[in-house]
Amino acid sequence: MTAIKVSNFGARATAVLLAGTMLTGVPLAASAQTTGQPAAAPAQATPPVVAAAAPVVSRTIKSIRVEGAQRLEPETVLSYTKLRTGQAFTNETLDQAIKDLYASELFADVIIAGADTGELVLRVRENPVINRVIFEGNKRLKEDKIKKEVKLAPRQIFTRTAVRQDVARIVELYRRQGRFAAVVEPKMVSLDQNRVDVIFEVSEGPKSKVRQINILGNEVYSDSKLREQMATKQARLTTLLSSNTSYDQDRLAYDQQKLRQFYLTEGYADFKVTSAVAELTPDKKDFIITYVVEEGKRYKFGDITVDSDIRDFDNKKLAANLGINKGDWYDAKKVETAIDSLSEAAGLFGYAFTEVNPDYARDKDTLTMGLNFHIAEAKRTYVERIDINGNTQTQDKVVRREIRLSEGDAFNSFQVKRSQDRINSLGYFQDKFEIKQTQGSSPDRVVLTANLEEKSTGELSLSAGYSSLERFIIQASIRQRNFRGKGQELRASVNYSTYSKSVELGFTEPYLFNKNIAIGGDIFRRDYNAFNYTLNNQRQTTYTQVSTGFQIRSGVPLTEYWQLAGRYGLSYDQVGLDKSTYYTDSNFDGIRGNSSNDGCDPLQAGRYLCDAIGNRWTSSVGYSLIYDSLNSRLRPTAGHRFIFSQDFAGLGGDVKYIRTKFEGSKFFNIGSGFIASANVEGGYIKSLEKSRGIGIDNVRITDRFYLGEPDFRGFDIRGVGPRVQRQSYTTDAAGNQTLVTDRTKLLADDALGGRAYYLGKLELEIPLGAGARELGLRPSIYVQAGALFGITSPVLQGSQFPTQIDPVTGRVTYLPLITQNYATNGSPLYVVPTTDATNPGSATTCAVGYSSTIGGACTGTSTNVASTSSNAPFKETFGGDSPRPRISVGAGVNWNSPFGPLRIDLAYALLKDKSDDSKLVTFNVGTQF
């Protein structure tokens, strides 16, 4: 860096003045001896001679000239000093002028010459101008973040003071990241025209970890127990991924508070941290933190009383309901909860600003802590005004209709909390919204303020993903949950996967004509392909269901928590079979009733599928009775939800049934971020139609309930409940015919659904650290139990296969079934022998001769062979139709990954039926762009 020169004129002048003073002191002393003053006694020391002060030499400035200025005008340079032509000056005046010029931080060197003649020359060298500010070696801190903190910038004047300050700022930034070994070295590169480049070379060094946390003075609780309470963790292999192992001064103070909070909840009311010291190791890589604590004695609660100045309250009842009992160990957390409980109780009676002050009566002899909660006098409060701020898109009325209080109403804290939950449940605003309460124009008035921060409610997405249920999935949708800012919902979606396709349009108006009446409707077209598993675990389409229709919905509130919803739906269902697999008639189109000869072959499809095909209209009307006290419909942490619904089909159409269903859930916030939930659901469908035949259930296969993934984790899709499995035969080396039991080699494994089901789940959401929460990770563990049952046993195939009995061993062997093939007019088919000269191997309806048309005249003399089909023997079994519970346990995690929302579950079926399809791992992932 450039050295700064200072004028030595003042030093020379001071030396001359001192010399003059010493010389003038000699004649003064001599004069004193010659004026007749008595001489000092020989035995006494000569008193010291005090020199007279030198006179201040004052001169006049004759002229002032500035030299060396490049960017600045001479007048500008002079403006920073008090020197002016014609004024008197001294050495002190010149020294002050030099100081003033340096204080301007514009000059690197200043010299004043010509003091002896009064013709002053100010020789200056200007500080350079900064051309660029460059940072090198910064990897952990981005350059943009550093630039926000430093003051040096291009086109500014370079000064050493500013450089030192910026170095200190950069070092402080690294210390905030826990990098106390960071070193910043500034360098300057001189350029032409008095310009410089300033370079900050950064050596970041390693992140300073907390090597050890020592605790002194603790006798009741171990060091490890106390370290668990702290946010700061020791750097160990087990904390390798934790961000809390770095040193943070603010976290040090927080940990002291956590220690105190822990001891106060355990009864140690006298606990205190006497000192907390963080020492940096010599290599600046680690910190050693030492706490010195005094635990004190453990206290129990003494007498608990409530003293209220508000006459409406019964003090004894309030004290009895605080949850604090005399003789329990003292717990500061319970005291805070009691204060909140009393404040909330006062709020329920309309006292918004009640003060609750606990008076402690500490008895060190008996080690008891008595408490008297004093409720100060307060006036009943009324709502003066409700302010809504921040809603730029959402109309005021959409928010106000969710607030359960009106201006002029008596204040009620419960209604405020309920209003807050309802606004949060809209999903239009950022989370953690709260309604603020401030005093109004008088002590008995309160102003409620809803400070909203809107978030996007429109969704335009194209998603592609992979699901263990449906393989590849493509979805395109547009949805606006707050259409025109009126709270209306408008949606349209198209979905395509290997086994399902759908197009849906929907609209919902939550407040019809500004009345609390919701109305909505949907139009849909859904194509669903049911499937089963064949050899080598390959999926094979069984029946197809195409549904086209609409539904109209409406809902009205009965009370604050109860709601009644009604609906009407009309749909046209077309259920058919895969023609290439299950038909025997060449003209059969897969839809029963569309051909003169229905070609559904029970040996191929099974009687249960042949009975399902057909076209039908379903006209249904239904209602739901809903109770909802959840604190949020998006991610609830407390409250209940119960739904009882019934649908009646038969208001016209071809299908008649009554379907009843119930759902219930409860959420518990059990503290420390843990959220527990209990869910139970079930249903039953009763047919109102006459018997459709032996082995045919009156409830059609498309109207039944199904159970499995994703609702019942641990089981595959439709993996629980009644099903028909078809097993083939194999022959071992000894010639014995046995059934193939390998699940992956079944000929068919068809879920039939059930008329009744139940399902229960207990789940615990586990909190993670701040870093994991930022990634959107939400793990949980759960246990589920459920069953699906209650259909008529179908007519099974397999008994029609011929058998052969070995006369020696008595062994029974099932033989293939040979059946005659028929033409579309019902005539038997024949095959011309390959030895025939005219039509070898051709199919015909002639037993002798040949005809190219069905039922035509036969010509020729060939004796034809009957055309037959051969079906290998198999055995069908019906199982899983039992209310006996299936149970699974598992763990899963939701992750808002960069690829989209991801859900992974690892679930194991503890209890299942031998016919159920279990599944260990399931996942679903998609990408939005």
Side-chain angles (χ1 to χ4, degrees), residues 300-450:
K300 290 185 176 181
F301 281 114
D303 293 327
I304 308 298
T305 58
V306 174
D307 178 18
S308 173
D309 293 339
I310 302 176
R311 290 177 296 176
D312 294 343
F313 293 165
D314 187 328
N315 295 338
K316 291 184 178 180
K317 287 184 178 181
L318 289 175
N321 294 324
L322 291 179
I324 302 176
N325 301 316
K326 182 178 181 180
D328 292 345
W329 291 113
Y330 173 76
D331 188 341
K333 183 67 175 177
K334 289 185 178 180
V335 177
E336 294 178 5
T337 303
I339 294 174
D340 293 339
S341 177
L342 291 173
S343 298
E344 184 176 341
L348 293 176
F349 284 88
Y351 299 95
F353 304 107
T354 305
E355 291 186 8
V356 181
N357 300 311
D359 297 327
Y360 296 89
R362 190 191 312 254
D363 191 332
K364 295 186 177 182
D365 295 330
T366 60
L367 295 179
T368 58
M369 182 75 74
L371 275 172
N372 177 59
F373 294 94
H374 178 70
I375 304 177
E377 178 67 33
K379 293 185 178 181
R380 194 180 298 276
T381 312
Y382 297 88
V383 179
E384 178 179 345
R385 191 173 68 252
I386 300 176
D387 294 334
I388 300 175
N389 305 319
N391 53 318
T392 57
Q393 300 293 332
T394 306
Q395 297 182 7
D396 268 18
K397 67 178 182 179
V398 175
V399 181
R400 289 187 182 274
R401 66 196 185 196
E402 303 299 332
I403 298 177
R404 315 323 284 170
L405 289 168
S406 300
E407 295 173 350
D409 288 351
F411 176 82
N412 187 298
S413 59
F414 174 79
Q415 296 288 11
V416 173
K417 179 66 169 60
R418 179 62 179 165
S419 303
Q420 183 175 297
D421 291 343
R422 289 180 66 95
I423 294 175
N424 274 324
S425 295
L426 292 175
Y428 305 159
F429 311 105
Q430 297 295 338
D431 297 339
K432 299 182 180 179
F433 159 77
E434 292 183 3
I435 297 178
K436 303 295 183 182
Q437 306 166 24
T438 56
Q439 186 169 308
S441 58
S442 60
D444 63 342
R445 293 291 183 267
V446 61
V447 176
L448 303 180
T449 304

Side-chain angles (χ1 to χ4, degrees), residues 394 398 426-430 453-455 457 481-482 487-488:
T394 306
V398 175
L426 292 175
Y428 305 159
F429 311 105
Q430 297 295 338
E453 184 180 351
E454 290 187 318
K455 62 182 181 182
T457 56
R481 294 181 290 109
N482 189 13
Q488 301 167 339

Side-chain angles (χ1 to χ4, degrees), residues 74-235:
E75 292 78 8
T76 304
V77 176
L78 287 175
S79 68
Y80 288 101
T81 71
K82 297 180 180 179
L83 301 177
R84 299 294 182 269
T85 302
Q87 292 182 352
F89 74 95
T90 64
N91 294 336
E92 288 77 5
T93 305
L94 299 180
D95 287 344
Q96 185 61 43
I98 293 174
K99 291 179 181 178
D100 292 341
L101 289 172
Y102 278 123
S104 69
E105 296 188 345
L106 296 173
F107 308 101
D109 192 10
V110 178
I111 296 175
I112 299 179
D116 50 347
T117 63
E119 297 177 349
L120 302 182
V121 179
L122 276 65
R123 296 190 178 98
V124 298
R125 182 161 58 85
E126 295 177 348
N127 275 328
V129 175
I130 298 174
N131 180 54
R132 292 184 303 169
V133 179
I134 303 171
F135 303 94
E136 295 181 352
N138 56 306
K139 297 180 180 178
R140 301 295 179 180
L141 275 178
K142 298 298 183 183
E143 187 170 315
D144 293 342
K145 188 171 184 179
I146 300 178
K147 282 185 176 180
K148 293 178 182 179
E149 298 292 331
V150 299
K151 302 300 182 184
L152 292 179
R155 295 182 297 279
Q156 288 185 353
I157 302 300
F158 171 86
T159 64
R160 294 173 181 270
T161 302
V163 171
R164 287 193 295 268
Q165 291 174 348
D166 282 349
V167 168
R169 291 187 184 98
I170 297 173
V171 170
E172 179 60 26
L173 284 177
Y174 277 100
R175 289 194 171 191
R176 292 177 190 172
Q177 279 200 342
R179 298 182 183 276
F180 285 80
V183 176
V184 180
E185 182 179 351
K187 292 185 178 181
M188 182 182 71
V189 178
S190 298
L191 305 173
D192 56 353
Q193 299 179 355
N194 199 23
R195 296 176 303 132
V196 293
D197 284 343
V198 180
I199 303 173
F200 292 100
E201 291 188 352
V202 181
S203 176
E204 295 180 320
K207 203 167 188 177
S208 300
K209 301 288 186 179
V210 176
R211 180 188 299 177
Q212 185 69 32
I213 300 177
N214 300 319
I215 305 174
L216 305 178
N218 54 310
E219 297 178 357
V220 180
Y221 297 103
S222 64
D223 289 4
S224 60
K225 179 67 175 179
L226 297 181
R227 291 190 193 107
E228 290 177 2
Q229 314 306 318
M230 302 178 185
T232 304
K233 303 299 179 184
Q234 298 179 133

Side-chain angles (χ1 to χ4, degrees), residues 535 726-730 738-741 745-747 872-875:
L535 296 179
R726 183 175 289 188
Q727 298 169 276
S728 60
Y729 288 97
T730 185
T738 58
L739 286 171
V740 175
T741 58
K745 296 182 179 180
L746 293 175
L747 297 177
F874 60 81
K875 180 181 180 181

